[in-house]
Amino acid sequence: MVFDPQQFPGTGQWHGRAPYSFLASVFSMVSSISARTVMLNIMCNMLRVIIVHSPQDILPAIWLCSNAIAPSFEGLELGIGPQILSKALRGVSSVNQTKLRKLYERYGDWGDVAFAAKASVRTIVKPKPLTVREVFQTLHAIAGVKGKGGVDTKAGLVRRLLLSAVGEEVRFIVRTLVAHLRIGAVRTTVLIALARACVFMQSDVGQWPISGDLVRQVDDSKDVLATKLKQAENGLKECFAQCPDWNLIVPWLMECKDVSRVFERCGITVGVPLRPMLGQITRDLTDMFIKLKDRDFACEYKYDGQRAQIHMDNQGRVKLFSRHLEDMTDKYPDIVEVLPRIRSEGTTSFIMDGEIVAMNSEGEIQPFQTLSNRARKNVTLDTIVVPVCVLAFDLMYLNNESLLQLSFRERRTLLKERFVRVKHRFDFVKSMDATGITTDQDKVQAFFKASIGSGGEGIMVKLLDHPPKSLEPSARAKGLLSTYEPDKRVESWLKVKKDYVEGVGDSLDLVPIGAWYGSGRKAGWYSPILLACYNPENETLESVCKCMSGFSDKFYKEMKDYYSEENLRVLNTPRHDYVTDLQPNVWFDACQVWEIKGADITVSPVHKGAIGRIEEDRGLSLRFPRFIRVRDDKPTEEATTSELLATLYLQQQVREVAEEENEEEQEEQDD
């Protein structure tokens, strides 16, 4: 509150262009801090300084802080690997290939390698200082290089950046090039910092003067400011969930200077994917009935396919996006071809949610493995060997209007009224409606078993309507709405998988972060593997278990090739965001998600999963973990969260108590 960006030292020499050294110094500061509050303050104040002294640099600064240069759905990739980095570093230093390899073995991070390689270089002529804008534009130029001679061209552009980079700039330019900034602050942190900067923005640019008397007003204004900050954070998060593109949001912010007004302009746009709504995992059907007592809900088959967000504009142009917002339109030309035929009369533009499944000529849904065998690039209608069908389950946008605030019953009605089936190509998910009362439980159980019998993973359970006003205040489901909530995992959608109901153990999506060297028959391979859950609150990975079961010899070999020093996936030291007391022989870069089953979840003095949520100084661990498969459809940020891990543990405790009571009751009856 007492920070004054107008008086920040050195800004008089900026001349309207923020130096990259300013950004690099902030990255260096933040990477050495574990206190999230301090980190947010630094990031917020950094953005305030740029807004005041170089407003044209706020957009590139936001992208660089987000460890990206464009939204994921644009598919703009830097494509920088060891070959290009080595070539560029040899060109700006006296370090040869052998020395580079030794440096990488020592540091395990290309940013640290570059910093060490250039540390001894002395230049006669001082290079012109890099600016934030120049770095960002050069990165875009690198991403745009295609075709023959691309390696040399990219290496030349990287070399040009490194020649001008000084000190910490070298480290963070290279980390940006390999998309691994390692500062502990990515999307959520940047969102909050920008929202807070916007609250101060009007004061910072002198539109309403609180700076002069602010120190005297601190005590009186704390509560008011805290409310404003929270409202701004929630507003910007909601805005970004519907329109995850800084290229659109930041210019609106700079124009309006008010997050609440930005939301008036920010909303669903055909062609820009909104972040998908996700369902909470529930332990079993009984728990589901308790949560949704006296509420009407729909049960839907949960198919083993690929989730897709389907867009079509008024001109009939189609876009398909994956659950993590990657553009996969070119992968499915057969879906693009059929979409114009699914619209009923009067339907123009739309955005729908659905599942893509492999389907044979008899209309039978095939396993996910069959779908994964489809080609991913250069797919044409005449080369398709695995036909697919879209099974739609939600509608978020119709004829230029957002449907997010409608109830699920209303959205589903519009979906079925405005779209028509196309045999084996487009259909609606199989569903049934029920009420959270005893008379419907047998019907839901039968529907669940039918889903499993048809090859599905279980069912999705979704509230049909908003809560009635007559609902008792004490009712647990009172606050659950049936709106579509982008980028949220809420209990109005519940995921009931066969793993939970059949009692074969918890299925978790965990991230490999390290391994020990195998012995005996497994000598030369990695075994066991250290796995972690994701804590989105502080963006860390907390260890959950060591897994050495479920792997085939073929997978062991593939894993050794995948996690290697050559492809930058093996580190000599743990990443700053790893939370564990264990010391594996090898640290992995967090770049995969594995599905893991186990017997049960226990409190652990060793592992740090969900630490502090159940017991203050102990975490949770998965007993007898077994590898099931690699989840190629999930980024690490969508791994099982520490909050969910704690929830599953508590549900397990409740179930165990109930089982013990049932056993005691049975023993009494037997006696």
Side-chain angles (χ1 to χ4, degrees):
M1 290 181 68
V2 296
F3 179 81
D4 187 357
Q6 296 278 7
Q7 304 301 320
F8 191 79
T11 51
Q13 286 74 50
W14 284 20
H15 305 299
R17 298 181 75 90
Y20 183 72
S21 59
F22 174 62
L23 209 58
S25 66
V26 169
F27 289 163
S28 180
M29 199 182 309
V30 168
S31 64
S32 64
I33 291 171
S34 58
R36 187 163 175 78
T37 302
V38 179
M39 183 187 298
L40 281 168
N41 286 344
I42 293 172
M43 295 289 287
C44 171
N45 289 339
M46 176 266 290
L47 295 175
R48 292 170 65 190
V49 171
I50 294 177
I51 289 170
V52 169
H53 296 282
S54 183
Q56 288 185 323
D57 287 319
I58 192 65
L59 178 58
I62 289 291
W63 278 119
L64 293 174
C65 290
S66 303
N67 203 24
I69 61 171
S72 58
F73 57 85
E74 288 188 2
L76 198 63
E77 296 181 354
L78 291 167
I80 300 296
Q83 182 184 3
I84 293 174
L85 280 177
S86 298
K87 194 178 185 72
L89 285 170
R90 292 198 308 271
V92 299
S93 70
S94 58
V95 177
N96 58 29
Q97 188 64 35
T98 302
K99 178 65 173 176
L100 278 177
R101 179 172 291 278
K102 288 182 178 179
L103 285 172
Y104 188 80
E105 289 174 354
R106 177 180 177 184
Y107 294 109
D109 172 78
W110 274 108
D112 293 341
V113 170
F115 182 85
K118 208 184 172 204
S120 59
V121 176
R122 297 291 180 266
T123 56
I124 298 175
V125 180
K126 188 176 181 180
K128 182 182 177 182
L130 285 170
T131 65
V132 169
R133 224 174 303 172
E134 181 184 358
V135 170
F136 187 67
Q137 289 168 350
T138 304
L139 294 176
H140 268 264
I142 291 171
V145 174
K146 308 292 180 186
K148 188 176 180 181
V151 170
D152 290 337
T153 304
K154 287 188 176 187
L157 290 167
V158 173
R159 186 165 55 250
R160 189 187 308 169
L161 281 175
L162 294 179
L163 280 170
S164 299
V166 178
E168 290 296 320
E169 294 178 329
V170 177
R171 193 191 313 273
F172 290 104
I173 281 175
V174 171
R175 286 183 178 176
T176 298
L177 288 167
V178 297
H180 190 184
L181 201 53
R182 297 185 68 176
I183 64 171
V186 282
R187 178 166 65 92
T188 303
T189 305
V190 173
L191 273 168
I192 296 174
L194 180 59
R196 293 182 178 185
C198 290
V199 172
F200 289 100
M201 189 188 303
Q202 291 175 309
S203 170
D204 291 340
V205 298
Q207 293 194 5
W208 47 279
I210 62 170
S211 298
D213 298 324
L214 188 55
V215 177
R216 292 191 298 274
Q217 297 173 9
V218 166
D219 291 336
D220 295 335
S221 58
K222 268 185 178 178
D223 292 341
V224 175
L225 180 62
T227 300
K228 285 185 176 180
L229 291 174
K230 196 63 181 176
Q231 288 173 343
E233 291 167 19
N234 293 337
L236 192 56
K237 285 179 182 178
E238 189 174 354
C239 183
F240 192 81
Q242 293 191 32
C243 181
D245 185 355
W246 291 124
N247 290 335
L248 296 175
I249 293 175
V250 172
W252 292 336
L253 279 171
M254 294 303 101
E255 179 183 341
C256 299
K257 299 180 175 63
D258 186 340
V259 174
S260 61
R261 287 188 58 209
V262 167
F263 200 76
E264 296 170 6
R265 300 180 60 174
C266 176
I268 299 184
T269 304
V270 176
V272 178
L274 61 156
R275 303 190 72 84
M277 181 174 174
L278 303 171
Q280 285 273 20
I281 291 177
T282 188
R283 180 77 196 190
D284 52 37
L285 289 172
T286 301
D287 182 56
M288 180 269 292
F289 277 107
I290 293 172
K291 287 180 178 179
L292 304 184
K293 182 181 179 182
D294 299 326
R295 298 287 298 274
D296 293 340
F297 57 85
C299 300
E300 299 174 344
Y301 275 19
K302 189 177 186 313
Y303 299 96
D304 194 12
Q306 182 174 18
R307 188 169 177 178
Q309 192 179 118
I310 303 171
H311 293 231
M312 178 178 280
D313 65 14
N314 293 327
Q315 287 72 45
R317 291 172 297 204
V318 173
K319 283 288 184 182
L320 306 179
F321 300 101
S322 68
R323 61 176 292 162
H324 40 283
L325 311 188
E326 292 177 348
D327 189 339
M328 55 181 188
T329 310
D330 293 341
K331 182 181 175 182
Y332 292 106
D334 41 347
I335 294 178
V336 174
E337 183 270 335
V338 78
L339 286 179
R341 291 188 273 147
I342 71 173
R343 295 179 296 180
S344 61
E345 186 176 354
T347 300
T348 54
S349 58
F350 65 85
I351 300 176
M352 69 169 59
D353 222 341
E355 193 84 5
I356 297 174
V357 296
M359 182 174 286
N360 64 19
S361 57
E362 285 76 41
E364 297 171 332
I365 295 175
Q366 305 300 295
F368 179 79
Q369 186 62 39
T370 303
L371 179 65
S372 65
N373 288 333
R374 271 183 66 119
R376 301 187 180 187
K377 296 182 179 179
N378 303 317
V379 183
T380 59
L381 289 172
D382 57 345
T383 61
I384 293 172
V385 295
V386 179
V388 297
C389 179
V390 174
L391 300 172
F393 57 77
D394 213 327
L395 187 65
M396 299 88 84
Y397 185 89
L398 179 68
N399 293 354
N400 303 320
E401 290 188 13
S402 171
L403 309 181
L404 298 187
Q405 297 305 309
L406 297 184
S407 68
F408 178 60
R409 188 191 298 274
E410 292 171 304
R411 301 197 308 275
R412 189 182 63 174
T413 298
L414 286 170
L415 177 67
K416 294 188 175 181
E417 287 178 350
R418 295 304 192 105
F419 298 89
V420 296
R421 293 179 171 88
V422 177
K423 187 176 181 181
H424 302 343
R425 305 291 301 281
F426 176 82
D427 207 336
F428 307 107
V429 298
K430 190 167 185 178
S431 66
M432 61 159 281
D433 293 351
T435 303
I437 54 177
T438 306
T439 55
D440 275 349
Q441 290 195 21
D442 291 342
K443 187 168 64 171
V444 173
Q445 287 275 7
F447 186 80
F448 176 84
K449 290 179 180 178
S451 173
I452 302 301
S454 67
E457 296 181 319
I459 60 174
M460 291 295 299
V461 179
K462 302 175 181 179
L463 281 177
L464 283 165
D465 307 295
H466 299 322
K469 295 179 180 179
S470 60
L471 201 63
E472 290 295 324
S474 59
R476 179 152 181 202
K478 172 181 175 295
L480 294 180
L481 300 175
S482 60
T483 49
Y484 190 99
E485 300 290 333
D487 203 25
K488 291 183 181 178
R489 190 183 293 274
V490 294
E491 289 189 335
S492 53
W493 281 17
L494 297 174
K495 180 164 52 177
V496 189
K497 295 176 69 175
K498 63 180 179 181
D499 304 331
Y500 303 106
V501 176
E502 293 177 355
V504 298
D506 293 316
S507 176
L508 306 177
D509 293 326
L510 303 177
V511 180
I513 61 171
W516 286 261
Y517 295 126
S519 59
R521 191 182 68 80
K522 297 178 183 178
W525 296 336
Y526 296 132
S527 182
I529 313 300
L530 182 62
L531 297 157
C533 65
Y534 180 63
N535 185 339
E537 294 177 7
N538 53 22
E539 296 168 343
T540 56
L541 291 161
E542 303 167 342
S543 68
V544 172
C545 62
K546 294 193 291 185
C547 181
M548 56 191 303
S549 178
F551 304 112
S552 65
D553 288 0
K554 179 175 180 290
F555 186 80
Y556 273 123
K557 294 174 184 176
E558 292 173 349
M559 178 169 46
K560 193 65 184 293
D561 291 336
Y562 184 82
Y563 290 104
S564 66
E565 294 178 356
E566 288 72 22
N567 55 31
L568 312 181
R569 298 189 182 109
V570 167
L571 314 172
N572 279 12
T573 56
R575 282 178 23 174
H576 68 286
D577 53 348
Y578 292 176
V579 182
T580 182
D581 287 340
L582 297 172
Q583 291 293 324
N585 301 132
V586 175
W587 293 101
F588 292 163
D589 191 13
C591 50
Q592 277 190 325
V593 176
W594 291 0
E595 183 179 355
I596 304 292
K597 288 184 182 178
D600 53 17
I601 302 170
T602 61
V603 174
S604 169
V606 176
H607 290 288
K608 304 298 183 181
I611 188 165
R613 294 178 183 270
I614 302 300
E615 294 190 12
E616 183 177 353
D617 57 350
R618 296 204 293 176
L620 297 176
S621 177
L622 184 66
R623 294 178 68 240
F624 305 118
R626 180 178 179 82
F627 170 81
I628 303 302
R629 60 169 173 160
V630 176
R631 292 298 304 265
D632 289 325
D633 60 324
K634 283 193 172 187
T636 55
E637 292 80 9
E638 292 185 14
T640 295
T641 64
S642 52
E643 180 183 10
L644 176 58
L645 185 67
T647 299
L648 292 173
Y649 173 79
L650 293 174
Q651 291 175 346
Q652 173 185 287
Q653 297 300 102
V654 171
R655 187 187 63 188
E656 289 175 356
V657 170
E659 289 174 351
E660 290 176 2
E661 290 176 349
N662 288 337
E663 288 177 3
E664 291 175 0
E665 183 178 344
Q666 186 63 48
E667 288 175 359
E668 290 176 0
Q669 291 176 355
D670 292 343
D671 291 342

